[in-house]
Amino acid sequence: MKKTHLLVSMLVLTIFSACRNNDENDNENPRNEEVHSKIVNVTNHDGRPFSTGSGSVSGKFVSGPGGGVLMQGFYWDVPEGGSWWNTVTGKLTAWSDSGIGAVWLPPASKAQNGAYSMGYDPTDYYDFGNFNQNGSVETRFGSRTELEGLITKAHAENMQVYADIVINHNSGGQSQANPFTGTSTWTDFSAIASGKFPRSYNDFYKNSYGNNDEGAFGGFPDLCHANPYVQDWLWGRDDSVGKYYKNVMKFDGWRFDYVKGFGPWVVNNWNSNVGGFSVGELWDSNVNTLEWWANNANSSVFDFAAYYKMDEAFDNGNLNALNDDMMWKRNPYKAVTFVANHDTDIINNKMPAYAYILTHEGYPTIFYRDYEEWLNKERLNNLIWIHNNKATGTTSILYTDNDEYIARRNGYNGNPGLVVYINNSSSWQERWVETNWSSQQIKDFTGNSTWYPTTQGDKWVKIQSPPNSYSIWSLNQ
């Protein structure tokens, strides 16, 4: 939910630019595939080839032993004009070739501001750019046909597609007399073009079910999930929002917006009735709160605890912060890690942060603008390859100080794991570390170091990391 650029007037018909700010079943967890990932040949920032693997192959993405990587396929205020679905479609093959296993899309249905809306002010959940309402037929992102083409193309590339779901609040209703407030409220959604999920004042707080729930947002009508009618339309009936998105539009999972605004039981019920991968935006740095929500929602959650600790570590010269508690340490299968998103982008020293999330446990997310516009794509592709092929097993932190951080992934099911060495200092650093490997040659799979050391019989070895950068070590195979 965008925390800025919000202008709401409930005294007139127009509400301006909308807000933005699991135990998963194994067959729905994009990280549980135990098959081989593609190898990608890329170059280092100084032109030398990255050391990634023994060759290259082509074809559709298949998750490697390290699991999958999620691409956030948008940013705030992507170009208007209905071209975004086609823009993303044109990138899917390259993303798949790089090892991206899923793409998260912005809210896809028609919203209050029609062709100008980022979708976080939903009006008609079943209008994907095929009805003339709210001033346009297409959404900001394009037509329903183009969206369906994107999803079809992603599936052909063996990628999943996650829908951003905004069910805390609605916008764009007509005025009606409301006996629970004694005023007129913008809660009449009886004339929506799709004819599906018509709503009135009793479907929003305050109403016969009470005065409020966990939280409202920005003055928008606050949807009442306690109402069985609302529950039925969101996840119960065969043509409910969730089941329509999954069975008709073919979305594979859900990113739930602003879950602070309603109880975790809502997401739990959605997941139980609809299925698919799910992650909640619970904007809270308290890992206890994140874990509580994830367990009660039966869902993954964005790891805001790790996000703020990475800012402290990589921007403020304190890598010891990475010793602190995070959601991925509590339950990696319910932690979605990230370096930036459409709402918040506070980490400046991003490449070490990506090296961190792509070598550690959790489900890592790549932000569109970081990948396509702002950072070195080849270096990110190298990290994605390392994640998919080497980042396996539990994590052991081997050494930390203000400038240095070394951790080991302990390997799993025959995969050797890795050692990651992050160096925030202005000079090369070296450390003796205990590895997973006895009397075997290792190498830095980033290509940053040219060393090819052999581990001792007791598994110890000296490794190095370049200044203001990182190295990632595993068996030379």
Side-chain angles (χ1 to χ4, degrees):
M1 181 61 58
K2 191 75 172 180
K3 308 305 184 202
T4 59
H5 309 303
L6 177 66
L7 177 60
V8 181
S9 173
M10 297 306 292
L11 300 178
V12 293
L13 287 175
T14 303
I15 298 178
F16 291 93
S17 292
C19 47
R20 231 347 288 138
N21 199 46
N22 95 50
D23 287 328
E24 298 104 2
N25 294 328
D26 285 347
N27 63 347
E28 294 170 348
N29 187 342
R31 293 154 284 162
N32 284 347
E33 303 289 341
E34 293 187 359
V35 284
H36 296 291
S37 177
K38 295 182 294 183
I39 297 170
V40 181
N41 289 330
V42 294
T43 58
N44 202 341
H45 52 279
D46 62 2
R48 294 180 289 110
F50 276 123
S51 181
T52 53
S54 59
S56 63
V57 296
S58 60
K60 310 309 176 190
F61 171 81
V62 186
S63 180
V69 176
L70 170 62
M71 173 68 75
Q72 179 175 358
F74 66 100
Y75 53 92
W76 191 253
D77 283 347
V78 300
E80 300 169 3
S83 62
W84 193 250
W85 295 147
N86 288 337
T87 295
V88 172
T89 301
K91 296 183 180 298
L92 291 172
T93 297
W95 290 350
S96 171
D97 289 344
S98 297
I100 302 294
V103 56
W104 154 30
L105 299 182
S109 63
K110 189 68 62 63
Q112 160 75 27
N113 277 309
Y116 302 101
S117 176
M118 283 296 294
Y120 291 95
D121 49 345
T123 298
D124 189 340
Y125 288 103
Y126 297 84
D127 178 0
F128 297 93
N130 49 305
F131 293 104
N132 188 359
Q133 65 180 329
N134 293 356
S136 69
V137 175
E138 291 191 346
T139 67
R140 183 190 191 100
F141 314 113
S143 68
R144 173 171 176 154
T145 298
E146 290 164 343
L147 173 60
E148 290 174 322
L150 185 163
I151 296 171
T152 298
K153 174 68 171 177
H155 289 161
E157 297 290 346
N158 205 23
M159 296 174 69
Q160 292 195 332
V161 184
Y162 303 153
D164 206 315
I165 298 294
V166 185
I167 55 173
N168 177 72
H169 54 270
N170 291 167
S171 185
Q174 301 301 305
S175 178
Q176 62 181 168
N178 188 330
F180 295 98
T181 64
T183 63
S184 292
T185 53
W186 304 99
T187 49
D188 182 1
F189 292 82
S190 61
I192 51 177
S194 71
K196 291 182 177 293
F197 195 12
R199 285 145 277 160
S200 66
Y201 57 78
N202 201 45
D203 302 314
F204 300 90
Y205 290 106
K206 69 183 190 181
N207 58 9
S208 61
Y209 295 89
N211 292 336
N212 57 272
D213 60 358
E214 281 76 2
F217 186 86
F220 291 108
D222 187 23
L223 201 58
C224 174
H225 304 92
N227 186 339
Y229 174 83
V230 172
Q231 297 175 23
D232 201 35
W233 269 108
L234 286 180
W235 61 74
R237 52 192 290 158
D238 289 342
D239 61 344
S240 65
V241 174
K243 291 176 183 176
Y244 193 92
Y245 273 55
K246 190 170 190 286
N247 299 327
V248 178
M249 299 303 294
K250 305 300 183 182
F251 282 102
D252 304 290
W254 329 104
R255 179 267 187 189
F256 289 97
D257 179 70
Y258 191 62
V259 298
K260 280 188 173 182
F262 47 90
W265 66 269
V266 173
V267 172
N268 196 324
N269 274 271
W270 177 297
N271 291 339
S272 297
N273 283 272
V274 179
F277 175 76
S278 105
V279 58
E281 182 216 21
L282 185 70
W283 198 321
D284 198 308
S285 63
N286 187 319
V287 68
N288 293 319
T289 304
L290 296 173
E291 184 181 35
W292 166 84
W293 186 90
N295 288 340
N296 283 278
N298 190 29
S299 172
S300 294
V301 66
F302 283 106
D303 194 346
F304 277 93
Y307 176 68
Y308 287 108
K309 290 303 176 183
M310 286 191 291
D311 179 49
E312 181 180 347
F314 301 122
D315 286 347
N316 297 301
N318 180 23
L319 292 188
N320 284 313
L322 301 178
N323 289 319
D324 292 343
D325 207 358
M326 306 173 191
M327 184 61 196
W328 72 259
K329 297 181 182 182
R330 295 282 185 95
N331 188 338
Y333 294 101
K334 289 183 176 177
V336 177
T337 53
F338 66 102
V339 173
N341 64 31
H342 61 296
D343 279 334
T344 179
D345 190 3
I346 63 173
I347 298 173
N348 294 313
N349 194 13
K350 287 184 174 181
M351 284 307 303
Y354 275 112
Y356 181 79
I357 69 168
L358 286 161
T359 55
H360 284 65
E361 294 168 82
Y363 186 14
T365 307
I366 308 290
F367 181 45
Y368 179 95
R369 300 199 86 167
D370 286 343
Y371 186 84
E372 292 290 344
E373 300 176 13
W374 292 340
L375 301 181
N376 185 307
K377 185 182 293 188
E378 287 73 24
R379 294 186 74 194
L380 285 172
N381 283 343
N382 170 248
L383 289 172
I384 293 167
W385 185 92
I386 289 169
H387 172 271
N388 291 350
N389 289 275
K390 301 294 183 183
T392 63
T394 57
T395 303
S396 299
I397 297 177
L398 304 180
Y399 179 84
T400 62
D401 61 26
N402 284 345
D403 291 330
E404 297 173 64
Y405 172 88
I406 307 174
R408 184 180 68 225
R409 293 295 298 275
N410 294 311
Y412 175 76
N413 198 27
N415 184 279
L418 57 80
V419 174
V420 56
Y421 190 166
I422 300 175
N423 176 16
N424 261 6
S425 78
S426 58
S427 59
W428 281 85
Q429 299 294 329
E430 301 174 0
R431 293 281 170 190
W432 281 92
V433 296
E434 185 177 14
T435 71
N436 300 321
W437 320 294
S438 175
S439 303
Q440 297 187 73
Q441 188 182 70
I442 64 173
K443 70 176 182 181
D444 172 18
F445 276 77
T446 72
N448 288 330
S449 171
T450 58
W451 284 7
Y452 285 81
T454 296
T455 62
Q456 299 182 155
D458 61 2
K459 301 182 181 180
W460 283 78
V461 70
K462 182 188 281 189
I463 57 175
Q464 64 175 185
S465 182
N468 299 305
S469 190
Y470 52 85
S471 57
I472 302 170
W473 304 80
S474 190
L475 292 184
N476 185 16
Q477 61 184 33

